[in-house]
């Protein structure tokens, strides 16, 4: 039974990876290798029929809330340094939970500084589905 | 099946239906249905009178829809009042459609969608794919847009500047999905230029052609962005450049300068340089001066500062930049570039990384990050020796 999962990458908020070097300290070829790894990963999942969507998010974001009738929305400005900040996601549709974990691990192995895997922590979130037709 | 021919006929056929008494929204729906039928029925060979065929089928679709609406009386009135189809085609129907679809009461996104469908003859699905939204969303956007302009009289004259803004937006959207929006924008602007003698239409067409000519050189084989100075100029399309320059010169000769002509002039000067070193930056700065005078646009000021940096040295460029708001898009990238040229790689690296963090798209973000990485690697190498 196919199920959808969101693989989340974080700019901040996930535990620090083993190979934790900011990207502007990598060699330019290492950045290219990383970009290529991510693109190849997505095309492979398209070929296996498991890819749904992938998007990257800007580093800038704002919390917003309602502040009452006739008042403008309240924002807290850019995220404070400590807040969770999502970098992007990939949505996959796979047979098993184990498959989702394997793919997340593969994403986490993307090369970083020194051409070595980043070991980045990827968050795996199952989608809640529509209720089944037969319940008893 | 010649889809291009069909799409060229779209606005003309809508115009015919409107002149026969259909309202714009119903006419547009009927012509879309006729297009879909044509794609199915023509199978490789369009009828000799393709336009006549489309008018007949679209008119029937319109009457069917009107009947389904229960407005039989209106339909009968229309049939009785139907003019004899003849050679009296109004050239200006297409032009009126451009104005209607770019009407100032529409938001830019709605105007773009409506123009691509009613003037461009694209299907809702194609437009949705190009803008990465669900088809149902795009269908809603288009039908709301049609409702917005439903009270506008079809023969009301419009402002060509609003049409140009819409076409400019379509061109800048670039390329995603199976429709090449840049090529479509060029086709629509070419068609508009053939119907008006407006200098700015020519200016925009020249601008598009000159930028389109550089497209093969703008991205590397791995999809990465290649900046102008590093592009392989042998990949530039010389036919498009020649056409763009001709169109621009004819427009400039009429001495009614506008922002698109000025932008095209900058693009033409780049196209004219066989190497990046041969670029005539002094003239480019003069054109940016014109552009700033015409529009006061802060983005033009930013581009001008970079050009000043090339013409008069990085210090002069940084001085020009100092007058601008650092919150401007691409301010940090421009500052980084000028600081590197001024021999300050540490500041440049910091600014490139900052620019990457606020980049509006992924290729640009990767490009700026690579620039920061390149300078940081050089700085580390320097520290080691």
């Amino acid at each position: 039974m196919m199920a959808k999962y969101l693989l989340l990458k974080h700019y901040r908020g996930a535990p620090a990876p083993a190979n934790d070097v900011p990207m502007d300290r990598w060699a330019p070829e290492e950045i290219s290798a990383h970009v290529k790894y991510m693109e190849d990963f997505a095309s492979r999942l398209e070929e296996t029929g498991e890819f749904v969507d992938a998007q990257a998010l800007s580093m800038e974001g704002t919390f917003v809330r309602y502040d009452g009738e006739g008042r403008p929305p309240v924002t807290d400005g850019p995220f404070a340094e400590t807040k969770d900040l999502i970098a992007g996601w990939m949505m996959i549709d796979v047979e098993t939970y184990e498959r989702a974990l394997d793919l997340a691990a593969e994403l986490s192995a993307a090369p970083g500084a020194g051409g070595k895997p980043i070991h980045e922590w990827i968050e795996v979130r199952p989608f809640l589905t529509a209720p089944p037709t037969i319940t008893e | 099946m010649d889809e291009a021919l069909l799409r060229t006929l779209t606005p003309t056929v809508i115009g015919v239906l409107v002149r026969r008494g259909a309202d714009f929204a119903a006419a547009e729906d009927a012509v879309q249905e006729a297009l879909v039928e044509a794609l199915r029925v023509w199978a490789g060979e369009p009828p000799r009178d393709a336009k006549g065929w489309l008018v007949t089928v679209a008119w029937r679709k319109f009457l069917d829809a009107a009947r389904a609406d229960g407005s039989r009386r209106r339909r009968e009135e229309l049939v009785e009042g139907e003019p004899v189809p003849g050679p009296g085609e109004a050239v200006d129907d297409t032009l009126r459609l451009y104005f209607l679809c770019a009407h100032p009461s529409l938001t830019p996104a709605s105007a773009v969608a409506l123009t691509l469908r009613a003037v461009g003859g694209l299907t809702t699905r194609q437009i949705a794919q190009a803008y990465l939204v669900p088809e149902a969303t795009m269908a809603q956007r288009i039908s709301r847009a049609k409702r917005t302009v439903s009270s506008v009289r079809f023969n009301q004259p419009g402002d060509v500047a609003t049409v140009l803004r819409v076409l400019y937006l379509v061109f800048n959207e670039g390329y995603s999905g199976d429709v090449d929006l840049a090529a479509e924008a060029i086709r629509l602007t070419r068609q508009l230029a053939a119907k008006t003698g407006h200098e700015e239409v020519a200016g925009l067409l020249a601008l598009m052609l000159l930028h389109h000519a550089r497209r093969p050189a703008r991205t590397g084989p791995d999809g990465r962005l290649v900046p102008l100075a590093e592009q392989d100029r042998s990949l530039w399309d010389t036919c498009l450049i020649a056409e763009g320059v001709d169109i621009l010169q004819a427009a400039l000769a009429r001495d009614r300068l506008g922002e698109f002509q000025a932008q095209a002039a900058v693009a033409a000067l780049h196209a004219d340089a066989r190497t990046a070193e041969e670029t005539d930056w002094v003239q480019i700065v003069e054109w940016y001066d014109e552009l700033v005078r015409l529009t006061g646009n802060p983005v033009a000021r930013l581009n001008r500062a970079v050009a000043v940096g090339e013409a008069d040295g990085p210090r002069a460029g940084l001085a020009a930049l100092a007058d601008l708001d650092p919150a401007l898009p691409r301010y940090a990238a421009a500052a980084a570039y000028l600081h590197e040229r001024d021999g300050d790689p540490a500041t440049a690296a910091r600014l490139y990384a900052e620019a990457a963090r606020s980049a509006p798209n992924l290729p640009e973000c990767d490009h700026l990050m690579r620039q920061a990485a390149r300078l940081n690697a050089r700085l580390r190498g320097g520290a080691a020796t």
Side-chain angles (χ1 to χ4, degrees):
Chain A
M1 181 54 203
M2 299 298 273
K4 291 193 180 67
Y5 294 87
L6 202 55
L7 309 183
L8 287 172
K9 274 167 71 86
H10 293 251
Y11 286 123
R12 281 199 303 266
N19 186 5
D20 192 10
V21 180
M23 201 181 244
D24 63 331
R25 305 276 148 183
W26 303 4
E29 316 80 73
E30 290 164 2
I31 297 178
S32 299
H34 178 83
V35 170
K36 182 165 187 335
Y37 184 97
M38 302 300 281
E39 283 170 0
D40 290 350
F41 181 76
S43 0
R44 233 173 17 253
L45 289 188
E46 274 179 325
E47 277 163 28
T48 58
E50 296 173 307
F51 179 87
V52 181
D53 184 35
Q55 295 293 334
L57 296 172
S58 160
M59 285 198 82
E60 284 156 4
T62 312
F63 275 111
V64 184
R65 71 167 171 79
Y66 175 61
D67 197 38
E69 191 62 46
R71 300 167 69 92
V74 172
T75 66
D76 86 331
F79 288 126
E81 277 299 316
T82 52
K83 282 178 190 154
D84 186 60
L85 190 57
I86 292 167
W89 71 75
M90 186 173 290
M91 198 193 292
I92 56 173
D93 197 10
V94 293
E95 289 284 357
T96 61
Y97 178 62
E98 286 67 33
R99 175 67 178 158
L101 292 186
D102 284 344
L103 289 176
E106 210 180 309
L107 206 52
S108 158
K116 299 197 179 64
I118 304 176
H119 297 280
E120 182 177 11
W121 290 93
I122 305 287
E123 193 179 352
V124 178
R125 302 287 304 271
F127 277 67
L128 295 178
T129 58
T133 312
I134 300 169
T135 51
E136 69 272 16
Chain B
M1 180 45 248
D2 194 1
E3 196 183 327
L5 166 68
L6 264 180
R7 294 186 34 213
T8 316
L9 292 171
T10 305
T12 319
V13 179
I14 294 176
V16 172
L17 264 62
V18 169
R19 273 187 293 117
R20 286 188 184 180
D23 65 274
F24 164 65
E28 204 277 335
D29 280 336
V31 173
Q32 269 270 321
E33 281 184 50
L35 290 177
V36 172
E37 189 159 323
L39 284 170
R40 198 164 47 81
V41 176
W42 289 7
E45 206 184 326
R48 204 171 309 144
D49 181 9
K51 188 186 134 198
W53 189 97
L54 276 175
V55 168
T56 307
V57 173
W59 184 247
R60 200 189 318 126
K61 299 272 181 202
F62 164 71
L63 293 178
D64 287 349
R67 185 185 304 127
D69 278 351
S71 37
R72 181 179 295 271
R73 238 197 61 183
R74 176 168 158 68
R75 176 176 64 93
E76 281 158 3
E77 281 167 12
L78 283 168
V79 171
E80 269 166 34
E82 184 177 335
V84 184
E89 116 119 50
V91 182
D92 286 327
D93 280 347
T94 301
L95 196 55
R96 291 197 192 112
L97 263 188
Y98 275 96
F99 289 135
L100 188 65
C101 294
H103 196 267
S105 62
L106 296 168
T107 63
S110 302
V112 161
L114 194 55
T115 299
L116 288 174
R117 209 175 103 136
V119 188
L122 290 174
T123 64
T124 304
R125 170 183 296 238
Q126 286 173 315
I127 303 167
Q129 274 178 356
Y131 286 93
L132 304 175
V133 298
E135 191 177 342
T137 304
M138 190 52 82
Q140 268 311 109
R141 197 177 292 172
I142 290 168
S143 70
R144 286 169 67 106
K146 289 207 287 192
R147 246 175 288 147
T148 303
V149 296
S150 61
S151 60
V152 178
R153 284 209 340 274
F154 188 65
N155 59 359
Q156 196 172 298
D159 177 6
V160 90
T162 63
V163 178
L164 293 182
R165 268 195 293 278
V166 168
L167 296 174
Y168 182 82
L169 283 177
V170 174
F171 182 75
N172 251 358
E173 191 63 33
Y175 186 54
S176 61
D178 66 342
V179 176
D180 184 342
L181 286 178
E184 178 63 8
I186 288 175
R187 185 180 77 81
L188 295 179
T189 309
R190 218 188 262 287
Q191 188 172 274
L192 181 65
K195 292 184 185 299
T196 70
H198 199 287
E199 300 78 22
E200 277 292 88
V201 180
L204 179 61
L205 179 58
L207 177 66
M208 287 176 176
L209 293 170
L210 290 163
H211 275 271
H212 206 57
R214 300 206 292 255
R215 188 160 81 168
R218 207 174 294 141
T219 44
D222 51 359
R224 78 162 71 171
L225 221 63
V226 183
L228 185 56
E230 291 163 30
Q231 285 174 14
D232 175 355
R233 296 182 179 219
S234 70
L235 295 175
W236 291 0
D237 186 328
T238 46
C239 292
L240 286 181
I241 290 174
E243 190 193 351
V245 168
D246 281 351
I247 291 170
L248 175 65
Q249 278 174 341
L252 289 174
R254 297 168 61 177
D255 207 20
R256 291 167 59 103
L257 189 61
E259 57 174 310
F260 291 120
Q261 292 169 79
Q263 282 189 60
V266 171
L269 285 166
H270 284 302
D272 199 35
R274 274 174 306 170
T275 63
E277 293 70 34
E278 286 177 41
T279 310
D280 188 345
W281 287 105
V282 174
Q283 263 209 76
I284 289 179
V285 171
E286 286 170 10
W287 281 112
Y288 277 126
D289 285 338
E290 290 286 358
L291 201 54
V292 168
R293 186 182 58 77
L294 285 163
T295 65
N297 185 335
V299 175
R301 286 180 203 276
L302 185 74
N303 289 331
R304 181 186 170 278
V306 175
V308 167
E310 301 288 354
D312 303 333
R315 286 288 161 85
L318 285 166
L321 205 59
D323 297 333
L324 302 176
D325 179 1
L328 270 175
R330 300 190 174 89
Y331 179 96
Y337 178 76
L338 291 167
H339 277 292
E340 182 183 356
R341 298 213 354 137
D342 191 36
D344 182 357
T347 305
R350 183 177 55 71
L351 286 166
Y352 270 129
E354 185 187 318
R357 281 192 288 276
S358 60
N361 60 67
L362 207 48
E364 210 170 306
C365 174
D366 291 340
H367 169 72
L368 293 166
M369 204 53 105
R370 251 185 233 109
Q371 297 290 339
R374 174 179 56 81
L375 290 174
N376 280 323
R378 195 203 293 166
L379 287 164
R380 276 195 304 275
T385 52

